[in-house]
Amino acid sequence: MREFPKEFFWGSATSAYQVEGDNCNCDWWEWEKKGLLPYHSGQACRHYQLYTQDFDLAKQLNHNAHRFSVEWSRIQPQQDAFNPQEIQHYRDVAIALKSRGLEPVVTLHHFTNPLWFMKAGGWLNRSSPSYFLDFTRKVVEALCDQVNLWVTINEPMVYVYHAYLLGAWPPQQKSFIATRKAIENLMRAHLQAYDCIHRIYEEKKLPPPRVSIAKNMQAFVACQPAFKNSFAAKIRNRIFNFEFIEKLMAKKALDFIGVNYYTRSLVEVKGWGLRHLFLDVCTDNHSQLKRNSLGWDIYPAGLYEVLLSLKKYGKPVFLLENGICTDDDALRGAYIHEHLKCVLQAIQGGVDVNGYLYWSLLDNFEWDKGFAPRFGLIEVDYQTFSRKVRESARQFAGICSRGSLA
Ligand code: BGC
């Protein structure tokens, strides 16, 4: 069988900070301004202004769904002030998608935080879930008649790992205690937001929403078959891939499982202690696999493994991100094809996968790596902001319209 289910979501994803431009009220902007990063997101792709054009292209490419995030710092620039124009902007974005036949999937938190929130202690503050709840309520009340699919938090473990453990992203902490605290608060934030979103739909007598997180999942592979490596791979798999999902499933707070999958992680423990157990990866050139332009292994089999490991939960799985940065567009086409093959295999294996969104619709600002990595189905010229549809996008468009692999 090479056919996907009839009702399948096909499309791509973006996040506000990476494409909109001029998000000057949040922690990332402040961090860039302080010169702590050699790049500046600046106007990014000017998607804030050009979104209708971009959605026209997505429609021409036969997408029927699109995931975007709302920028908290635009909507709530101060703790006690919401900006009605910005709320209207995101309502317009959702309407623009629907009028083109694209199902909106809305992310509430995608790595960036308002400055006031960070000054109040960010995700280490015990009140952070309730701050997030106020914001969630405001957004959902305004968009609920247009949106059914919600993602509360994008990649909570990736976020805390970079921001609170590695110290690579703002607020640049390097502490296990801070990391645990941030994880707890992000979980509580999701649980409260989940209930709140459902309550709003009930009160307004709208069909029940579907709410989840976007969980980054990796295939953890022991580099050399040593006990310490396979032991560390097991632990990382448990904590990184499953801790969040299991806790939220236990509270019945996931309507589907949102998955972001890119690559595998080659585990090689080089010393004693927690940091080695959790963080060491192989830095030798052991891998024979092709890689993206950031050096990540291309490992579609891992997607199959990940999807199959979710079968036990009996929930629909929605692939909310899968993609490659590369200057070799043929490699992008092959990447998509190979990963979709694994999605099909997982469906045949009994996993209820209901959609595939490529990351990303556009080339964009790749966080601490700047603009060099090109993830887009559509190429962006950062001087003129013109768009050019890549060949891989056309190949993917064929798959989207046929609903099958050729
Ligand atoms: C994130 C995106 C990011 C992409 C590629 C995901 O982890 O959600 O924001 O651009 O991976 O690194």
Side-chain angles (χ1 to χ4, degrees):
M1 180 199 78
R2 296 179 77 77
E3 304 233 323
F4 287 84
K6 283 266 160 317
E7 306 283 310
F8 200 76
F9 290 117
W10 292 105
S12 61
T14 55
S15 90
Y17 195 80
Q18 294 178 271
V19 292
E20 283 180 349
D22 291 326
N23 273 315
C24 55
N25 222 342
C26 73
D27 51 355
W28 265 83
W29 188 275
E30 190 74 356
W31 198 54
E32 291 168 21
K33 229 173 58 188
K34 283 189 186 144
L36 292 167
L37 195 67
Y39 316 105
H40 191 40
S41 55
Q43 296 192 64
C45 310
R46 299 200 89 215
H47 178 71
Y48 188 87
Q49 288 81 8
L50 300 176
Y51 69 90
T52 52
Q53 283 182 34
D54 291 335
F55 296 164
D56 285 342
L57 292 174
K59 181 182 159 70
Q60 282 164 29
L61 291 169
N62 304 325
H63 296 188
N64 65 14
H66 181 75
R67 175 176 169 223
F68 68 95
S69 77
V70 293
E71 174 62 36
W72 185 0
S73 62
R74 282 187 189 268
I75 291 174
Q76 195 179 5
Q78 305 293 335
Q79 185 172 0
D80 53 1
F82 287 91
N83 182 331
Q85 281 98 30
E86 294 291 5
I87 297 177
Q88 185 59 43
H89 169 80
Y90 289 113
R91 211 179 133 72
D92 293 344
V93 171
I95 292 170
L97 286 170
K98 291 195 73 163
S99 67
R100 287 166 178 78
L102 282 94
E103 182 73 27
V105 182
V106 182
T107 309
L108 290 161
H109 185 273
H110 198 125
F111 296 164
T112 55
N113 302 285
L115 284 174
W116 65 262
F117 175 83
M118 291 316 280
K119 283 196 188 114
W123 289 102
L124 301 183
N125 184 336
R126 270 199 70 74
S127 303
S128 50
S130 75
Y131 297 152
F132 183 68
L133 182 63
D134 293 342
F135 157 69
T136 298
R137 190 177 298 115
K138 212 50 180 189
V139 175
V140 176
E141 271 172 355
L143 269 65
C144 59
D145 60 333
Q146 302 298 327
V147 176
N148 179 263
L149 286 154
W150 293 93
V151 174
T152 54
I153 294 157
N154 181 66
E155 301 189 342
M157 293 302 268
V158 170
Y159 171 66
V160 291
Y161 173 80
H162 285 93
Y164 292 96
L165 187 60
L166 268 195
W169 292 356
Q172 285 192 292
Q173 299 225 357
K174 284 188 185 177
S175 143
F176 273 107
I177 295 173
T179 301
R180 286 307 318 170
K181 238 193 214 167
I183 292 175
E184 291 302 320
N185 284 330
L186 283 159
M187 273 188 197
R188 288 171 46 222
H190 170 83
L191 292 171
Q192 294 182 18
Y194 178 91
D195 287 344
C196 165
I197 299 172
H198 275 273
R199 212 172 316 118
I200 292 172
Y201 279 71
E202 260 167 50
E203 279 163 17
K204 300 200 185 253
K205 305 206 175 357
L206 289 164
R210 285 165 289 171
V211 184
S212 188
I213 55 170
K215 182 70 195 74
N216 180 294
M217 299 193 75
Q218 295 180 22
F220 289 99
V221 178
C223 177
Q224 308 286 357
F227 173 74
K228 58 179 182 167
N229 293 342
S230 26
F231 179 69
K234 268 213 179 86
I235 301 251
R236 289 183 207 182
N237 186 40
R238 273 246 47 78
I239 296 182
F240 181 86
N241 281 342
F242 287 102
E243 186 184 2
F244 234 90
I245 296 180
E246 300 249 303
K247 293 218 168 131
L248 301 186
M249 285 301 296
K251 302 261 185 200
K252 301 199 181 347
L254 292 177
D255 301 318
F256 62 96
I257 303 179
V259 173
N260 296 356
Y261 177 84
Y262 287 87
T263 187
R264 72 173 179 181
S265 175
L266 265 190
V267 178
E268 188 173 32
V269 178
K270 293 168 182 153
W272 297 102
L274 277 185
R275 283 202 99 77
H276 292 290
L277 181 67
F278 286 115
L279 299 178
D280 287 359
V281 287
C282 172
T283 43
D284 300 332
N285 231 353
H286 287 145
S287 170
Q288 300 300 311
L289 301 177
K290 287 198 177 147
R291 297 182 185 171
N292 74 8
S293 62
L294 286 169
W296 306 352
D297 283 344
I298 299 176
Y299 188 59
L303 176 57
Y304 172 73
E305 290 159 24
V306 156
L307 291 174
L308 229 67
S309 70
L310 297 171
K311 188 176 160 183
K312 59 177 183 239
Y313 299 113
K315 287 275 171 191
V317 177
F318 194 159
L319 210 43
L320 295 171
E321 286 182 30
N322 173 240
I324 178 173
C325 54
T326 177
D327 297 326
D328 173 359
D329 192 49
L331 187 60
R332 186 186 333 277
Y335 180 100
I336 296 174
H337 197 270
E338 289 310 302
H339 283 78
L340 281 173
K341 263 203 241 133
C342 292
V343 175
L344 263 184
Q345 228 185 314
I347 294 174
Q348 282 156 15
V351 190
D352 175 15
V353 186
N354 65 10
Y356 174 93
L357 304 183
Y358 177 81
W359 181 272
S360 175
L361 179 63
L362 305 167
D363 288 338
N364 60 51
F365 181 72
E366 177 56 21
W367 306 113
D368 56 333
K369 307 293 183 300
F371 286 105
R374 299 275 183 167
F375 274 96
L377 291 172
I378 298 170
E379 183 182 336
V380 175
D381 179 327
Y382 295 113
Q383 304 303 315
T384 62
F385 299 102
S386 64
R387 298 354 192 190
K388 195 166 142 208
V389 173
R390 292 195 164 106
E391 186 48 37
S392 56
R394 298 188 205 286
Q395 291 162 5
F396 180 50
I399 302 174
C400 299
S401 76
R402 287 192 306 274
S404 71
L405 291 175

